[in-house]
């Protein structure tokens, strides 16, 4: 049976003001790939949402997660309505989201300035992972599809790896300057 769900493109952005004083709106947006206008998504999201991370559930294309300035949010209808998840740190900024490649009920979020959280129950509850990365903004997270216990984390200016699902970490960037210009 063919998938009857329409294809969609999603984009998130922060609000910003140019050096000339021009205001640029941020938010969370959706559109069809063939064109058309971007549709602002806001139902259930925080006011003036800034979506810094987006992730589509690997097996349920209508389920998306958004990392915002007020923690993670989820939609089950392709973006029509969002709900704030039961995340322990109110006001934490989620910068990255990653799914376990074979068990998508397990997911990770990178949060500033707190660290990394793991959920093993479709984001119903979260456990903060102990790591040397606490207090650093987590720019990116990736789970190795060949070895799902291996997690990579990118911060500024360092990279880290866990080979045991986030229980212990090693720094990968020793002696390498990863600072952006």
């Amino acid at each position: 049976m063919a998938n009857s769900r329409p294809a969609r493109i999603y984009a998130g952005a922060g609000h910003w003001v140019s050096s000339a004083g021009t205001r640029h709106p941020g938010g969370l947006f959706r559109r069809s790939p063939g064109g058309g206008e971007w549709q602002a998504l806001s139902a259930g999201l925080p006011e003036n949402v800034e979506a810094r991370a987006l992730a589509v559930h690997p097996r349920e294309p209508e389920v998306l997660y958004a990392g915002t300035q007020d923690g993670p949010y989820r939609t089950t209808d392709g973006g029509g309505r969002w709900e704030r998840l039961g995340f322990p740190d109110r006001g934490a900024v989620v910068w990255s989201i990653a799914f376990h490649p074979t068990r998508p009920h397990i997911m990770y979020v990178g949060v500033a300035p707190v660290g990394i959280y793991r959920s093993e129950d479709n984001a119903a509850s979260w456990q903060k992972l102990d790591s040397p990365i606490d207090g650093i903004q987590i720019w990116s997270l990736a789970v190795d599809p060949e070895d799902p216990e291996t997690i990579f984390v990118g911060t500024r200016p360092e990279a880290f790896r866990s080979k045991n699902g986030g229980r212990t970490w090693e720094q990968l960037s020793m002696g390498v300057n990863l600072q952006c210009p």
Side-chain angles (χ1 to χ4, degrees):
M1 182 178 218
N3 183 356
S4 61
R5 184 185 73 81
R8 297 180 177 138
I9 300 169
Y10 296 87
H15 302 275
W16 62 284
V17 178
S18 71
S19 59
T22 305
R23 294 187 174 275
H24 300 273
L28 183 54
F29 305 92
R30 171 180 71 190
R31 69 178 278 189
S32 298
E37 296 293 317
W38 285 97
Q39 174 190 8
L41 305 174
S42 60
L45 290 167
E47 187 174 339
N48 296 317
V49 66
E50 294 187 2
R52 292 171 171 84
L54 292 171
V56 179
H57 190 281
R59 296 186 185 150
E60 301 176 48
E62 291 292 302
V63 177
L64 286 85
Y65 292 84
T68 76
Q69 74 272 25
D70 188 33
Y73 281 72
R74 173 178 49 212
T75 181
T76 58
D77 63 3
R81 177 89 185 131
W82 295 82
E83 64 177 325
R84 186 178 188 281
L85 300 175
F87 197 71
D89 286 315
R90 189 79 193 199
V93 179
V94 176
W95 285 89
S96 51
I97 303 170
F99 286 96
H100 187 287
T102 60
R103 295 181 288 172
H105 63 280
I106 298 175
M107 58 188 301
Y108 301 89
V109 295
V111 181
V114 182
I116 303 168
Y117 282 84
R118 174 181 168 126
S119 173
E120 296 183 359
D121 55 10
N122 289 312
S125 63
W126 298 87
Q127 172 192 5
K128 185 175 181 297
L129 300 179
D130 290 326
S131 76
I133 313 165
D134 288 350
I136 299 174
Q137 184 174 343
I138 308 299
W139 285 86
S140 59
L141 277 168
V143 182
D144 186 334
E146 299 297 319
D147 180 11
E149 288 298 300
T150 299
I151 305 165
F152 295 94
V153 171
T155 70
R156 190 184 341 178
E158 300 171 315
F160 296 86
R161 173 178 57 198
S162 171
K163 291 183 176 182
N164 55 19
R167 289 186 296 280
T168 61
W169 297 87
E170 64 181 312
Q171 186 177 11
L172 298 176
S173 52
M174 303 266 285
V176 177
N177 183 359
L178 300 177
Q179 283 284 4
C180 298

